[in-house]
Amino acid sequence: MRKALLLAGVVALLLVCSVVPALAQENQSGEEGRLRERLQERWEFLQQRIELIIARFNNNQQRHQKVYEQVRSAVSEFLEKMKAKGYDVSKLEQDLATWEQMFEKFAQDYAAFIQKLEEIAALSPEQAQGSFYSLLREARQLLRVVRQDAMDIRLFYQQTIRADIQELRNQLPESV
């Protein structure tokens, strides 16, 4: 009887020893599964936020472009009127060409920024774990460049183009 109890105890011990690791492994894989699900949910939320940011920046770019076209049109009309009246508009024409180049640089930098955001949004959760922060850092740096470009354009208009227009208004027209 003792041998039977001892044998039953050993069998029970072996059974427990083989079941406990299996249960622990199952529990651990369950935790990993929940962790993966949480990471997937968080990544999907981040992708939605990035897509929202991209849409907002695209809307802002359209607004910037519209305002630029309006101002450029007004300055061009003024330039043509002054040229028709016989004023020397060469300095204003040069400054407008410079201003145009500034807008082209702004558009290129803006496109690079949006492209970087789209690159981040296209990552999978596994890819994002390794490169998300470095790509985000690059996007933030590109955003700083874009904002500086916008500031340069605004300041150039306020300080240079307006000054040229004021000079033209104070100038006597050349004989036509």
Side-chain angles (χ1 to χ4, degrees):
M1 175 107 166
R2 283 184 161 189
K3 285 185 179 181
L5 283 175
L6 185 61
L7 186 60
V10 169
V11 169
L13 185 61
L14 287 174
L15 185 62
V16 168
C17 288
S18 64
V19 170
V20 169
L23 288 175
Q25 185 178 16
E26 183 179 301
N27 190 22
Q28 191 176 29
S29 67
E31 288 178 17
E32 287 177 11
R34 285 191 298 265
L35 179 62
R36 279 194 198 120
E37 286 177 22
R38 283 184 42 216
L39 286 175
Q40 183 67 30
E41 288 172 4
R42 287 186 68 198
W43 182 245
E44 288 172 3
F45 175 75
L46 279 173
Q47 283 179 320
Q48 289 173 353
R49 289 270 303 159
I50 291 170
E51 289 170 5
L52 179 68
I53 290 168
I54 290 170
R56 189 177 72 220
F57 276 106
N58 283 333
N59 289 339
N60 286 343
Q61 182 182 21
Q62 292 170 359
R63 191 189 64 198
H64 282 272
Q65 193 70 24
K66 182 180 175 185
V67 168
Y68 163 67
E69 289 297 326
Q70 290 172 346
V71 172
R72 190 184 75 161
S73 174
V75 172
S76 294
E77 286 176 24
F78 176 77
L79 180 75
E80 292 303 317
K81 286 180 185 177
M82 295 306 243
K83 189 185 275 187
K85 290 181 181 180
Y87 287 89
D88 179 25
V89 293
S90 60
K91 182 164 178 7
L92 182 58
E93 286 176 335
Q94 290 173 354
D95 289 340
L96 284 177
T98 303
W99 200 40
E100 189 73 33
Q101 291 172 354
M102 293 171 82
F103 270 103
E104 289 173 11
K105 182 181 181 308
F106 173 77
Q108 291 171 353
D109 291 343
Y110 210 96
F113 169 66
I114 295 297
Q115 182 181 5
K116 187 60 70 172
L117 286 179
E118 288 171 346
E119 185 180 330
I120 293 171
L123 293 175
S124 70
E126 292 80 25
Q127 293 170 327
Q129 286 180 349
S131 61
F132 176 75
Y133 288 112
S134 64
L135 289 174
L136 187 62
R137 197 173 310 116
E138 291 173 21
R140 285 179 176 164
Q141 188 160 1
L142 287 171
L143 179 60
R144 284 187 204 107
V145 171
V146 167
R147 287 182 174 161
Q148 185 61 46
D149 289 346
M151 180 67 75
D152 292 343
I153 289 169
R154 198 171 316 130
L155 288 175
F156 190 80
Y157 175 77
Q158 290 173 349
Q159 296 172 352
T160 306
I161 305 253
R162 281 188 180 172
D164 291 346
I165 291 171
Q166 192 60 38
E167 279 182 32
L168 280 175
R169 288 186 175 153
N170 294 335
Q171 183 184 111
L172 293 176
E174 297 175 357
S175 60
V176 178

